[in-house]
């Protein structure tokens, strides 16, 4: 690890992408060779889902590389576009009425760009309270001007929750790139990678544990796969992976382990909450029927990250006393 730390920042990040794309290439070659085999329909469905996830990882990795290579402005802009698409998916499957149009215009074309502008200018104190305080007060006021009291509280709460997850939560990922941590300048890309890897590790471990342990579900009506034992397995797996990646972070091994546990555990809780929202909307996935809803399934991929990013971001700030 000492040799890695002696490399320049550009060399370290360059090596990071070489390793990342190398692993993805190996996995893609293995997946292609296995795709030539015949398998039962249920196994084929699982394999197709794996291929879909692999394409999403490729897309995310390429976007991650473009954002790093293009600088903080472009990276913040890219995350803003992802927020826009995720919020669009959320809204297309949410019951709204004509009286909500002003609030939706406010969310898409005022709140979202202003939130990312605050991120880009590194006003982190305002960034933390802009949506939970000011926007959450403004949206009901603007909705009330629509003169439609039918299911007003439900409609307003759904718009607020969509903004909270898709804009507020997602905006904390590029904010990690801009955190000015002591003796960690210009290494924000590693923090984002650390967050993505530990959250993904938690998801994979939680999914595997739910299949093999077969414990009693916590909330059967929402998810038959979520159990406390599976959640602990996912969070502990994220902690172990986080500790193994301590060299890429400003943390020592034990703090890196704790941070991995926090990020992985909160991301798994986030996916569980989004399953409840999908049950409420009567859908299995946020996307997949683009011709009908305009959705592309992005929210299914980034939902755990939307929950984990703000918890991880503020834990890092608390750790360094900001």
């Amino acid at each position: 690890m000492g040799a890695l730390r002696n490399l320049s920042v550009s060399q370290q990040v360059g090596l990071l992408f070489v390793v990342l794309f190398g692993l993805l290439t190996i996995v893609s070659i293995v997946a292609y060779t296995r795709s030539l085999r015949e398998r039962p329909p249920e196994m084929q469905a699982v394999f197709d889902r794996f291929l879909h996830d692999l394409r999403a990882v490729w897309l995310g990795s390429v976007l991650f590389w473009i954002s790093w290579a293009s600088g903080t402005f472009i990276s913040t802009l890219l995350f803003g576009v992802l927020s826009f698409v995720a919020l669009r998916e959320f809204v297309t499957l949410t019951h709204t009425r004509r009286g909500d149009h002003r609030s939706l215009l406010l969310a898409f074309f005022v709140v979202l760009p202003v939130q990312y502008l605050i991120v880009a200018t590194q006003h982190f104190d305002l960034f933390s309270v802009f949506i939970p305080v000011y926007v959450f007060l403004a949206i009901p006021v603007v909705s009330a001007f629509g003169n439609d009291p039918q299911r007003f509280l439900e409609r307003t709460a759904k718009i607020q929750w969509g903004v909270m997850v898709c804009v507020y939560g997602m905006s904390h990922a590029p904010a990690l790139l801009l955190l000015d941590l002591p003796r960690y300048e210009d290494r924000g890309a590693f923090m984002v990678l650390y967050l993505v890897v530990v959250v993904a590790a938690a998801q994979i471990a939680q999914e595997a544990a739910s299949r093999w342990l077969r414990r009693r579900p916590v909330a059967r009506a929402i998810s038959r796969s979520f159990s406390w034992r599976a959640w602990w397995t996912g969070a502990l797996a994220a902690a172990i992976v986080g500790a193994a990646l301590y060299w890429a972070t400003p943390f020592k091994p034990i703090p890196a382990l704790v941070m991995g546990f926090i990020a992985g555990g909160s991301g798994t809780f986030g996916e569980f909450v989004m399953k409840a929202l999908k049950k409420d909307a009567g859908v299995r996935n946020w996307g997949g029927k683009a011709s009908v809803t305009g959705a592309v399934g992005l929210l299914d991929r980034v939902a755990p990250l939307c929950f984990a990013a703000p918890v991880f971001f503020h834990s890092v700030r608390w750790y360094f006393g900001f």
Side-chain angles (χ1 to χ4, degrees), residues 52 82-94 161-162 164-167 170 270-271 274-275 277-278 283 285-288 295-307:
H52 190 273
L82 292 178
S83 266
F84 187 94
V85 176
L87 182 61
R88 185 166 180 254
E89 286 188 1
F90 186 94
V91 170
T92 52
L93 295 175
T94 302
W161 187 240
M164 186 70 181
V165 173
C166 303
V167 181
M170 178 77 84
E271 186 182 35
M274 295 307 285
K275 284 182 178 178
L277 292 176
K278 284 188 285 188
V283 298
N285 301 296
W286 289 106
V296 294
L298 175 68
L299 195 51
D300 283 319
R301 309 289 174 236
V302 301
L305 189 64
C306 291
F307 278 75

Side-chain angles (χ1 to χ4, degrees), residues 87 90-91 94-96 100 103-104 106-107 111 130-143 152-169 277:
L87 182 61
F90 186 94
V91 170
T94 302
H95 174 73
T96 56
D100 299 319
S103 296
L104 293 175
L106 175 70
V111 174
F130 173 62
I131 287 178
V133 177
Y134 301 103
V135 173
F136 274 23
L137 290 174
I139 285 178
V141 172
V142 174
S143 292
F152 179 80
L153 178 60
E154 178 185 344
R155 289 161 29 217
T156 303
K158 286 182 176 178
I159 295 173
Q160 288 177 321
W161 187 240
V163 172
M164 186 70 181
V165 173
C166 303
V167 181
Y168 184 78
L277 292 176

Side-chain angles (χ1 to χ4, degrees), residues 4 40 53 62 66 146 165 174 189 224 241 265 286 304 306 310:
L4 289 175
D53 291 341
V62 171
I66 292 173
V165 173
R224 292 179 179 272
V241 172
W286 289 106
C306 291

